[in-house]
C-alpha cells in the first residue's frame, strides 16, 4: 500500500491555487517528513509558520468548515465507517484529494474522497484555514506612495 500523503497532497494544490506558491512547494517537497510526524496537522502548520509562508493557521469549527472557502484549508474527514484517517484540501469552491485530484466542491465529491467501497462522507473531524503572510508596507523615499513587499508569489 502506498504511503498516505493526503495532508501534503491535499493542502499543496489548495495553497497553489490560492497563490501561495512557496508554501505549496514546501509542503509538497516535505511530504515524507509531514507523513512521519506524530501529528501531521501540527507538523504542516509549524513548517509553514516557522518559514513565514503563512500569516496564521486558524482552527475552524468542524460543522462550519466548508462555509467559507476563500482561504486554503486542510480538512480531516470522517466517513460512514467512522474512519478519520483521510484529509483533503479545500479552496475557492474546490476539493483537493490525493486520489481524486481537483474536484468541484459538492457532497457527492466529498463522498468520492472517502477511501473504500460504499464509503460516504459523514462529517468534518477537524479543519485548519491558512491565511497568507502579512505584506509589509515600505515607504518610498521622497514621500511617494507605499508599495507592498513580501507575499508568496
Amino acid at each position: 500500500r502506498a504511503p498516505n500523503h493526503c495532508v501534503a497532497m491535499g493542502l499543496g494544490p489548495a495553497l497553489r491555487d490560492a497563490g501561495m506558491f512557496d508554501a505549496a512547494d514546501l509542503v509538497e517537497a516535505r511530504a515524507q517528513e509531514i507523513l512521519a510526524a506524530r501529528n501531521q496537522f501540527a507538523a504542516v502548520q509549524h513548517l509553514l509558520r516557522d518559514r513565514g509562508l503563512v500569516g496564521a493557521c486558524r482552527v475552524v469549527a468542524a460543522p462550519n468548515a466548508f462555509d467559507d472557502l476563500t482561504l486554503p484549508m486542510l480538512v480531516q474527514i470522517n466517513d460512514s465507517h467512522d474512519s478519520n484517517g483521510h484529509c483533503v484540501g479545500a479552496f475557492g469552491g474546490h476539493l483537493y484529494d490525493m486520489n481524486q485530484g481537483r474536484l468541484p466542491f459538492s457532497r457527492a465529491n466529498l463522498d468520492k474522497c472517502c477511501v473504500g467501497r460504499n464509503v460516504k462522507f459523514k462529517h468534518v473531524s477537524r479543519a485548519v484555514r491558512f491565511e497568507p503572510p502579512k505584506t509589509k508596507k515600505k515607504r518610498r523615499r521622497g514621500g511617494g506612495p507605499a508599495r507592498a513587499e513580501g507575499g508568496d508569489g
Side-chain angles (χ1 to χ4, degrees), residues 12-149:
L15 291 166
R16 184 166 285 104
D17 277 3
M20 298 168 71
F21 303 106
D22 292 341
D25 290 345
L26 182 63
V27 166
E28 291 168 351
R30 304 286 283 276
Q32 194 62 39
E33 177 183 325
I34 294 166
L35 177 65
R38 184 174 183 171
N39 181 335
Q40 294 180 38
F41 262 65
V44 75
Q45 290 175 67
H46 289 293
L47 180 67
L48 293 173
R49 274 197 315 250
D50 290 351
R51 298 264 185 328
L53 297 176
V54 296
C57 305
R58 304 221 186 267
V59 174
V60 180
N64 307 321
F66 294 117
D67 289 353
D68 180 2
L69 297 176
T70 59
L71 291 171
M73 194 167 38
L74 180 62
V75 182
Q76 184 176 28
I77 55 178
N78 188 283
D79 65 31
S80 54
H81 291 169
D82 281 328
S83 171
N84 64 356
H86 191 58
C87 297
V88 297
F91 171 72
H94 290 92
L95 298 169
Y96 303 83
D97 180 72
M98 70 173 277
N99 300 310
Q100 302 293 324
R102 183 178 188 245
L103 300 168
F105 177 79
S106 70
R107 177 67 186 236
N109 283 335
L110 278 166
D111 290 342
K112 285 182 186 177
C113 294
C114 293
V115 180
R117 292 174 49 106
N118 301 318
V119 180
K120 304 286 185 199
F121 170 78
K122 188 173 174 184
H123 61 82
V124 171
S125 295
R126 60 181 166 166
V128 175
R129 188 171 287 130
F130 295 84
E131 297 178 5
K134 304 277 187 228
T135 57
K136 298 173 190 163
K137 298 282 184 178
K138 192 173 194 179
R139 295 203 60 87
R140 298 176 95 181
R141 290 184 189 209
R147 64 182 175 93
E149 249 186 37

